[in-house]
Protein backbone atom coordinates (compact mmCIF):
# COMPACT_ATOMS: atom_id res chain seq x y z
CA UNK A 1 0.00 0.00 0.00
CA UNK A 2 1.60 3.25 -1.11
CA UNK A 3 1.17 6.02 1.38
CA UNK A 4 1.07 9.74 0.63
CA UNK A 5 4.34 11.48 1.43
CA UNK A 6 3.49 14.99 0.25
CA UNK A 7 -0.06 16.30 -0.14
CA UNK A 8 -0.50 19.63 -1.90
CA UNK A 9 -3.84 21.32 -1.38
CA UNK A 10 -4.88 24.37 -3.46
CA UNK A 11 -1.35 25.77 -3.50
CA UNK A 12 -1.11 29.38 -4.69
CA UNK A 13 2.08 31.44 -4.82
CA UNK A 14 2.13 35.07 -5.84
CA UNK A 15 5.04 37.46 -6.14
CA UNK A 16 3.30 40.83 -5.99
CA UNK A 17 0.56 40.76 -8.63
CA UNK A 18 2.21 37.89 -10.48
CA UNK A 19 0.58 34.51 -9.80
CA UNK A 20 3.37 31.96 -10.27
CA UNK A 21 1.50 28.91 -8.91
CA UNK A 22 -2.22 28.82 -9.46
CA UNK A 23 -4.31 26.47 -7.31
CA UNK A 24 -2.29 23.23 -7.51
CA UNK A 25 -3.58 20.12 -5.71
CA UNK A 26 -1.52 16.93 -6.06
CA UNK A 27 -0.34 13.95 -4.04
CA UNK A 28 3.14 12.44 -4.13
CA UNK A 29 3.36 8.92 -2.74
CA UNK A 30 6.30 7.20 -1.12
CA UNK A 31 8.62 5.78 -3.77
CA UNK A 32 7.28 7.98 -6.60
CA UNK A 33 9.72 9.44 -9.08
CA UNK A 34 8.05 12.57 -10.44
CA UNK A 35 9.76 14.54 -13.19
CA UNK A 36 8.47 18.08 -13.73
CA UNK A 37 9.01 19.55 -17.19
CA UNK A 38 7.95 22.76 -18.91
CA UNK A 39 9.21 26.00 -20.39
CA UNK A 40 11.18 28.48 -18.30
CA UNK A 41 8.92 30.73 -16.26
CA UNK A 42 6.17 28.13 -15.97
CA UNK A 43 6.56 27.83 -12.18
CA UNK A 44 8.57 24.60 -11.90
CA UNK A 45 11.31 25.80 -9.54
CA UNK A 46 8.85 27.81 -7.45
CA UNK A 47 6.71 24.69 -7.12
CA UNK A 48 9.68 22.59 -6.01
CA UNK A 49 10.86 25.22 -3.53
CA UNK A 50 7.34 25.46 -2.11
CA UNK A 51 7.37 21.78 -1.13
CA UNK A 52 9.84 22.45 1.68
CA UNK A 53 8.62 26.03 2.17
CA UNK A 54 11.76 27.72 0.87
CA UNK A 55 9.02 29.64 -0.93
CA UNK A 56 6.15 30.28 1.48
CA UNK A 57 2.75 29.68 -0.16
CA UNK A 58 0.44 32.66 -0.53
CA UNK A 59 -2.46 30.32 0.20
CA UNK A 60 -3.16 26.60 0.31
CA UNK A 61 -1.58 23.84 2.35
CA UNK A 62 1.27 21.39 2.08
CA UNK A 63 1.29 18.29 4.25
CA UNK A 64 4.46 16.22 4.63
CA UNK A 65 4.14 12.73 6.13
CA UNK A 66 0.68 13.64 7.37
CA UNK A 67 1.61 16.95 9.03
CA UNK A 68 0.50 20.31 7.67
CA UNK A 69 3.84 22.13 7.45
CA UNK A 70 2.53 25.48 6.19
CA UNK A 71 2.00 26.87 9.69
CA UNK A 72 5.16 25.58 11.35
CA UNK A 73 7.76 27.80 13.01
CA UNK A 74 11.20 28.10 11.39
CA UNK A 75 12.64 25.76 13.99
CA UNK A 76 9.99 23.11 13.31
CA UNK A 77 10.45 23.62 9.59
CA UNK A 78 14.17 22.97 9.88
CA UNK A 79 13.36 19.56 11.37
CA UNK A 80 11.06 18.81 8.42
CA UNK A 81 13.69 19.96 5.92
CA UNK A 82 16.15 17.46 7.38
CA UNK A 83 13.94 14.79 5.83
CA UNK A 84 13.79 16.56 2.47
CA UNK A 85 17.13 16.49 0.67
CA UNK A 86 17.54 19.28 -1.85
CA UNK A 87 19.97 19.61 -4.73
CA UNK A 88 20.15 22.94 -6.57
CA UNK A 89 21.59 24.07 -9.91
CA UNK A 90 24.54 25.54 -8.03
CA UNK A 91 26.43 23.14 -5.82
CA UNK A 92 26.80 25.38 -2.73
CA UNK A 93 29.73 23.38 -1.34
CA UNK A 94 31.92 25.01 1.31
CA UNK A 95 35.13 25.85 -0.58
CA UNK A 96 37.34 25.80 2.53
CA UNK A 97 36.35 22.23 3.45
CA UNK A 98 37.33 18.96 1.85
CA UNK A 99 34.71 16.84 0.09
CA UNK A 100 34.61 14.54 3.11
CA UNK A 101 34.15 17.46 5.54
CA UNK A 102 31.36 18.91 3.40
CA UNK A 103 29.42 15.65 3.62
CA UNK A 104 30.10 15.04 7.34
CA UNK A 105 29.10 18.51 8.48
CA UNK A 106 25.30 18.22 8.71
CA UNK A 107 25.08 14.71 10.24
CA UNK A 108 27.54 15.76 12.98
CA UNK A 109 25.99 19.15 13.59
CA UNK A 110 22.31 18.30 13.25
CA UNK A 111 22.09 14.60 14.06
CA UNK A 112 24.94 14.47 16.58
CA UNK A 113 26.69 11.72 14.66
CA UNK A 114 30.19 10.97 15.94
CA UNK A 115 33.16 11.76 13.73
CA UNK A 116 33.68 8.05 13.08
CA UNK A 117 30.03 7.47 12.17
CA UNK A 118 29.89 10.49 9.89
CA UNK A 119 33.17 9.53 8.19
CA UNK A 120 32.04 5.95 7.54
CA UNK A 121 28.74 7.16 6.11
CA UNK A 122 30.39 9.87 3.98
CA UNK A 123 32.87 7.40 2.49
CA UNK A 124 30.03 4.97 1.69
CA UNK A 125 28.11 7.78 -0.03
CA UNK A 126 31.18 8.88 -1.99
CA UNK A 127 31.52 5.31 -3.19
CA UNK A 128 27.84 5.35 -4.18
CA UNK A 129 28.35 8.45 -6.35
CA UNK A 130 31.64 7.17 -7.75
CA UNK A 131 33.96 9.63 -6.00
CA UNK A 132 35.62 7.65 -3.22
CA UNK A 133 39.04 8.84 -4.46
CA UNK A 134 38.05 12.51 -3.93
CA UNK A 135 37.42 12.44 -0.16
CA UNK A 136 40.38 14.72 0.64
CA UNK A 137 40.00 16.98 -2.40
CA UNK A 138 38.71 20.55 -2.16
CA UNK A 139 35.72 21.64 -4.27
CA UNK A 140 37.84 24.00 -6.41
CA UNK A 141 39.76 21.02 -7.81
CA UNK A 142 36.60 19.20 -8.95
CA UNK A 143 34.67 19.39 -12.22
CA UNK A 144 31.09 20.65 -12.17
CA UNK A 145 29.78 17.11 -12.52
CA UNK A 146 31.89 15.93 -9.61
CA UNK A 147 30.74 18.85 -7.45
CA UNK A 148 27.10 18.06 -8.19
CA UNK A 149 27.64 14.42 -7.25
CA UNK A 150 29.20 15.56 -3.95
CA UNK A 151 26.15 17.81 -3.43
CA UNK A 152 23.90 14.76 -3.93
CA UNK A 153 25.98 12.72 -1.46
CA UNK A 154 25.77 15.59 1.04
CA UNK A 155 21.97 15.66 0.75
CA UNK A 156 21.81 11.88 1.16
CA UNK A 157 23.95 12.07 4.31
CA UNK A 158 20.89 13.25 6.23
CA UNK A 159 19.02 10.05 5.22
CA UNK A 160 16.11 12.04 3.74
CA UNK A 161 12.68 10.57 2.97
CA UNK A 162 12.46 12.49 -0.31
CA UNK A 163 14.97 14.14 -2.65
CA UNK A 164 14.12 17.38 -4.46
CA UNK A 165 16.24 18.21 -7.51
CA UNK A 166 16.01 21.70 -9.02
CA UNK A 167 17.51 21.47 -12.53
CA UNK A 168 20.60 19.69 -11.17
CA UNK A 169 22.33 19.49 -14.56
CA UNK A 170 21.55 22.89 -16.06
CA UNK A 171 24.81 24.50 -14.90
CA UNK A 172 26.94 21.62 -16.21
CA UNK A 173 28.87 21.15 -19.43
CA UNK A 174 27.13 18.58 -21.65
CA UNK A 175 29.77 15.88 -21.10
CA UNK A 176 29.20 16.03 -17.32
CA UNK A 177 25.43 15.73 -17.42
CA UNK A 178 25.47 11.95 -17.89
CA UNK A 179 27.50 11.22 -14.76
CA UNK A 180 25.04 13.14 -12.58
CA UNK A 181 21.96 11.62 -14.23
CA UNK A 182 23.46 8.14 -13.71
CA UNK A 183 23.67 8.76 -9.93
CA UNK A 184 20.06 10.00 -9.96
CA UNK A 185 18.97 6.99 -11.98
CA UNK A 186 20.56 4.62 -9.46
CA UNK A 187 18.87 6.53 -6.66
CA UNK A 188 15.47 6.17 -8.33
CA UNK A 189 16.03 2.42 -8.75
CA UNK A 190 16.85 2.13 -5.05
CA UNK A 191 13.30 3.28 -4.20
CA UNK A 192 14.03 6.88 -3.16
CA UNK A 193 11.09 9.25 -3.55
CA UNK A 194 12.25 11.93 -5.98
CA UNK A 195 10.81 15.10 -7.46
CA UNK A 196 13.01 16.35 -10.27
CA UNK A 197 12.70 19.59 -12.22
CA UNK A 198 14.75 19.09 -15.38
CA UNK A 199 15.12 19.79 -19.09
CA UNK A 200 16.59 16.31 -19.64
CA UNK A 201 13.79 14.59 -21.55
CA UNK A 202 15.69 11.32 -21.94
CA UNK A 203 16.04 11.07 -18.17
CA UNK A 204 12.35 11.85 -17.73
CA UNK A 205 11.42 9.18 -20.26
CA UNK A 206 13.60 6.54 -18.67
CA UNK A 207 13.29 7.13 -14.93
CA UNK A 208 9.98 8.85 -14.13
CA UNK A 209 6.89 7.07 -12.83
CA UNK A 210 5.00 10.23 -13.76
CA UNK A 211 5.85 13.25 -15.86
CA UNK A 212 4.13 16.51 -14.92
CA UNK A 213 4.06 19.26 -17.54
CA UNK A 214 3.84 22.69 -15.94
CA UNK A 215 2.71 25.77 -17.80
CA UNK A 216 1.64 29.18 -16.52
CA UNK A 217 1.55 28.08 -12.89
CA UNK A 218 -0.54 24.95 -13.27
CA UNK A 219 0.14 21.28 -13.93
CA UNK A 220 -1.37 21.32 -17.39
CA UNK A 221 -0.92 17.60 -18.04
CA UNK A 222 0.47 14.58 -16.25
CA UNK A 223 0.86 10.91 -17.02
CA UNK A 224 3.38 8.15 -17.55
CA UNK A 225 6.40 9.02 -19.70
CA UNK A 226 4.83 6.94 -22.46
CA UNK A 227 1.60 8.95 -22.37
CA UNK A 228 3.26 12.35 -22.17
CA UNK A 229 5.98 11.79 -24.78
CA UNK A 230 4.10 9.57 -27.21
CA UNK A 231 0.51 10.80 -26.97
CA UNK A 232 0.18 14.15 -25.18
CA UNK A 233 -3.41 15.37 -25.06
CA UNK A 234 -2.98 19.09 -24.39
CA UNK A 235 -2.01 21.42 -27.23
CA UNK A 236 0.44 23.27 -25.03
CA UNK A 237 2.17 20.01 -24.07
CA UNK A 238 2.46 19.07 -27.75
CA UNK A 239 3.81 22.51 -28.58
CA UNK A 240 6.41 22.40 -25.81
CA UNK A 241 7.59 18.87 -26.67
CA UNK A 242 7.79 19.60 -30.39
CA UNK A 243 10.20 22.46 -29.64
CA UNK A 244 12.26 20.60 -27.06
CA UNK A 245 12.54 17.30 -28.86
CA UNK A 246 13.45 19.00 -32.14
CA UNK A 247 16.65 20.41 -30.63
Amino acid sequence: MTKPLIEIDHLVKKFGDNTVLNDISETINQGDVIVVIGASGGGKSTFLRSLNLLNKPTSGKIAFEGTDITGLSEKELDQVREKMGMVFQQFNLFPNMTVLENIKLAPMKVKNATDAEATAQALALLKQVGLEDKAEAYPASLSGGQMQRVAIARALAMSPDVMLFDEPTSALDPEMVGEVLKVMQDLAKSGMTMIVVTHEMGFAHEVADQVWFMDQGVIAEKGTPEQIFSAPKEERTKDFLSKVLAQ
Side-chain angles (χ1 to χ4, degrees), residues 169-194:
T169 58
S170 65
L172 300 179
D173 293 334
E175 67 270 20
M176 293 171 192
V177 169
E179 63 192 55
V180 173
L181 293 181
K182 166 82 173 69
V183 168
M184 292 168 64
Q185 238 163 344
D186 292 345
L187 206 51
K189 283 183 195 148
S190 77
M192 173 64 79
T193 310
M194 294 165 62

Short mmCIF file of all heavy atoms in Angstrom, two decimals, residues 169-194:
data_model
loop_
_atom_site.label_atom_id
_atom_site.label_comp_id
_atom_site.label_asym_id
_atom_site.label_seq_id
_atom_site.Cartn_x
_atom_site.Cartn_y
_atom_site.Cartn_z
N THR A 169 21.30 19.58 -13.52
CA THR A 169 22.33 19.49 -14.56
C THR A 169 22.43 20.75 -15.42
O THR A 169 23.25 20.81 -16.32
CB THR A 169 22.06 18.28 -15.49
OG1 THR A 169 20.76 18.43 -16.07
CG2 THR A 169 22.12 16.97 -14.72
N SER A 170 21.61 21.75 -15.13
CA SER A 170 21.55 22.89 -16.06
C SER A 170 22.81 23.75 -16.04
O SER A 170 23.08 24.48 -16.98
CB SER A 170 20.31 23.73 -15.81
OG SER A 170 20.39 24.32 -14.55
N ALA A 171 23.58 23.68 -14.96
CA ALA A 171 24.81 24.50 -14.90
C ALA A 171 26.03 23.71 -15.38
O ALA A 171 27.16 24.20 -15.30
CB ALA A 171 25.02 25.00 -13.48
N LEU A 172 25.81 22.49 -15.87
CA LEU A 172 26.94 21.62 -16.21
C LEU A 172 27.25 21.62 -17.70
O LEU A 172 26.35 21.78 -18.54
CB LEU A 172 26.63 20.17 -15.79
CG LEU A 172 26.35 19.92 -14.31
CD1 LEU A 172 26.03 18.46 -14.08
CD2 LEU A 172 27.54 20.34 -13.45
N ASP A 173 28.51 21.38 -18.04
CA ASP A 173 28.87 21.15 -19.43
C ASP A 173 28.23 19.84 -19.88
O ASP A 173 28.11 18.90 -19.08
CB ASP A 173 30.40 21.03 -19.57
CG ASP A 173 31.08 22.36 -19.27
OD1 ASP A 173 30.42 23.40 -19.44
OD2 ASP A 173 32.26 22.35 -18.86
N PRO A 174 27.87 19.76 -21.17
CA PRO A 174 27.13 18.58 -21.65
C PRO A 174 27.79 17.24 -21.31
O PRO A 174 27.11 16.28 -20.96
CB PRO A 174 27.09 18.79 -23.17
CG PRO A 174 27.16 20.27 -23.34
CD PRO A 174 28.00 20.79 -22.22
N GLU A 175 29.13 17.19 -21.34
CA GLU A 175 29.77 15.88 -21.10
C GLU A 175 29.69 15.46 -19.64
O GLU A 175 29.97 14.30 -19.30
CB GLU A 175 31.23 15.87 -21.60
CG GLU A 175 32.17 16.77 -20.83
CD GLU A 175 32.26 18.18 -21.41
OE1 GLU A 175 31.35 18.60 -22.15
OE2 GLU A 175 33.25 18.86 -21.10
N MET A 176 29.31 16.38 -18.75
CA MET A 176 29.20 16.03 -17.32
C MET A 176 27.79 15.66 -16.90
O MET A 176 27.57 15.16 -15.82
CB MET A 176 29.67 17.21 -16.46
CG MET A 176 31.14 17.49 -16.61
SD MET A 176 31.52 19.02 -15.78
CE MET A 176 33.17 19.29 -16.38
N VAL A 177 26.84 15.95 -17.78
CA VAL A 177 25.43 15.73 -17.42
C VAL A 177 25.16 14.25 -17.14
O VAL A 177 24.52 13.88 -16.16
CB VAL A 177 24.51 16.26 -18.56
CG1 VAL A 177 23.07 15.80 -18.35
CG2 VAL A 177 24.59 17.78 -18.62
N GLY A 178 25.73 13.40 -17.99
CA GLY A 178 25.47 11.95 -17.89
C GLY A 178 25.87 11.36 -16.56
O GLY A 178 25.15 10.54 -15.99
N GLU A 179 27.02 11.82 -16.02
CA GLU A 179 27.50 11.22 -14.76
C GLU A 179 26.58 11.56 -13.59
O GLU A 179 26.40 10.76 -12.67
CB GLU A 179 28.95 11.67 -14.48
CG GLU A 179 29.14 13.14 -14.25
CD GLU A 179 30.60 13.57 -14.26
OE1 GLU A 179 31.32 13.30 -15.25
OE2 GLU A 179 31.03 14.19 -13.28
N VAL A 180 25.97 12.75 -13.64
CA VAL A 180 25.04 13.14 -12.58
C VAL A 180 23.71 12.40 -12.74
O VAL A 180 23.13 11.88 -11.78
CB VAL A 180 24.82 14.68 -12.58
CG1 VAL A 180 23.73 15.07 -11.58
CG2 VAL A 180 26.13 15.38 -12.24
N LEU A 181 23.22 12.32 -13.98
CA LEU A 181 21.96 11.62 -14.23
C LEU A 181 22.07 10.14 -13.85
O LEU A 181 21.11 9.54 -13.37
CB LEU A 181 21.54 11.76 -15.69
CG LEU A 181 21.15 13.18 -16.14
CD1 LEU A 181 20.74 13.18 -17.60
CD2 LEU A 181 20.04 13.77 -15.28
N LYS A 182 23.25 9.56 -14.05
CA LYS A 182 23.46 8.14 -13.71
C LYS A 182 23.28 7.94 -12.20
O LYS A 182 22.62 6.99 -11.75
CB LYS A 182 24.87 7.73 -14.15
CG LYS A 182 25.38 6.41 -13.58
CD LYS A 182 24.84 5.22 -14.38
CE LYS A 182 25.46 3.90 -13.97
NZ LYS A 182 25.08 3.43 -12.64
N VAL A 183 23.83 8.85 -11.39
CA VAL A 183 23.67 8.76 -9.93
C VAL A 183 22.19 8.88 -9.57
O VAL A 183 21.67 8.14 -8.73
CB VAL A 183 24.49 9.87 -9.23
CG1 VAL A 183 24.12 9.98 -7.76
CG2 VAL A 183 25.98 9.59 -9.37
N MET A 184 21.48 9.80 -10.24
CA MET A 184 20.06 10.00 -9.96
C MET A 184 19.24 8.78 -10.39
O MET A 184 18.28 8.40 -9.71
CB MET A 184 19.57 11.27 -10.66
CG MET A 184 20.17 12.54 -10.05
SD MET A 184 19.90 13.99 -11.07
CE MET A 184 18.11 14.11 -11.01
N GLN A 185 19.64 8.20 -11.50
CA GLN A 185 18.97 6.99 -11.98
C GLN A 185 19.09 5.85 -10.96
O GLN A 185 18.12 5.17 -10.63
CB GLN A 185 19.64 6.52 -13.28
CG GLN A 185 18.70 6.43 -14.44
CD GLN A 185 19.50 6.39 -15.73
OE1 GLN A 185 20.67 6.72 -15.78
NE2 GLN A 185 18.85 5.99 -16.80
N ASP A 186 20.31 5.67 -10.46
CA ASP A 186 20.56 4.62 -9.46
C ASP A 186 19.74 4.87 -8.20
O ASP A 186 19.20 3.95 -7.58
CB ASP A 186 22.05 4.55 -9.10
CG ASP A 186 22.90 4.04 -10.26
OD1 ASP A 186 22.32 3.49 -11.22
OD2 ASP A 186 24.13 4.22 -10.21
N LEU A 187 19.64 6.14 -7.85
CA LEU A 187 18.87 6.53 -6.66
C LEU A 187 17.39 6.18 -6.85
O LEU A 187 16.74 5.66 -5.94
CB LEU A 187 19.04 8.04 -6.45
CG LEU A 187 18.89 8.61 -5.06
CD1 LEU A 187 19.75 7.86 -4.06
CD2 LEU A 187 19.26 10.09 -5.08
N ALA A 188 16.88 6.48 -8.03
CA ALA A 188 15.47 6.17 -8.33
C ALA A 188 15.23 4.67 -8.25
O ALA A 188 14.23 4.22 -7.69
CB ALA A 188 15.11 6.70 -9.72
N LYS A 189 16.18 3.89 -8.77
CA LYS A 189 16.03 2.42 -8.75
C LYS A 189 16.06 1.89 -7.33
O LYS A 189 15.48 0.84 -7.04
CB LYS A 189 17.16 1.77 -9.56
CG LYS A 189 16.96 1.85 -11.06
CD LYS A 189 18.08 1.13 -11.79
CE LYS A 189 18.10 1.51 -13.26
NZ LYS A 189 19.45 1.50 -13.83
N SER A 190 16.74 2.61 -6.43
CA SER A 190 16.85 2.13 -5.05
C SER A 190 15.55 2.37 -4.26
O SER A 190 15.44 1.98 -3.10
CB SER A 190 18.01 2.83 -4.34
OG SER A 190 17.64 4.16 -3.98
N GLY A 191 14.59 3.07 -4.87
CA GLY A 191 13.30 3.28 -4.20
C GLY A 191 13.14 4.64 -3.55
O GLY A 191 12.15 4.90 -2.88
N MET A 192 14.12 5.53 -3.74
CA MET A 192 14.03 6.88 -3.16
C MET A 192 12.89 7.66 -3.82
O MET A 192 12.74 7.63 -5.04
CB MET A 192 15.37 7.61 -3.38
CG MET A 192 15.37 9.07 -2.97
SD MET A 192 15.12 9.37 -1.20
CE MET A 192 16.75 9.02 -0.53
N THR A 193 12.10 8.33 -3.01
CA THR A 193 11.09 9.25 -3.55
C THR A 193 11.82 10.47 -4.09
O THR A 193 12.64 11.06 -3.40
CB THR A 193 10.11 9.69 -2.44
OG1 THR A 193 9.64 8.53 -1.75
CG2 THR A 193 8.92 10.45 -3.03
N MET A 194 11.52 10.84 -5.34
CA MET A 194 12.25 11.93 -5.98
C MET A 194 11.30 12.83 -6.75
O MET A 194 10.40 12.34 -7.43
CB MET A 194 13.31 11.38 -6.95
CG MET A 194 14.43 10.63 -6.27
SD MET A 194 15.45 9.63 -7.39
CE MET A 194 16.16 10.84 -8.50
#
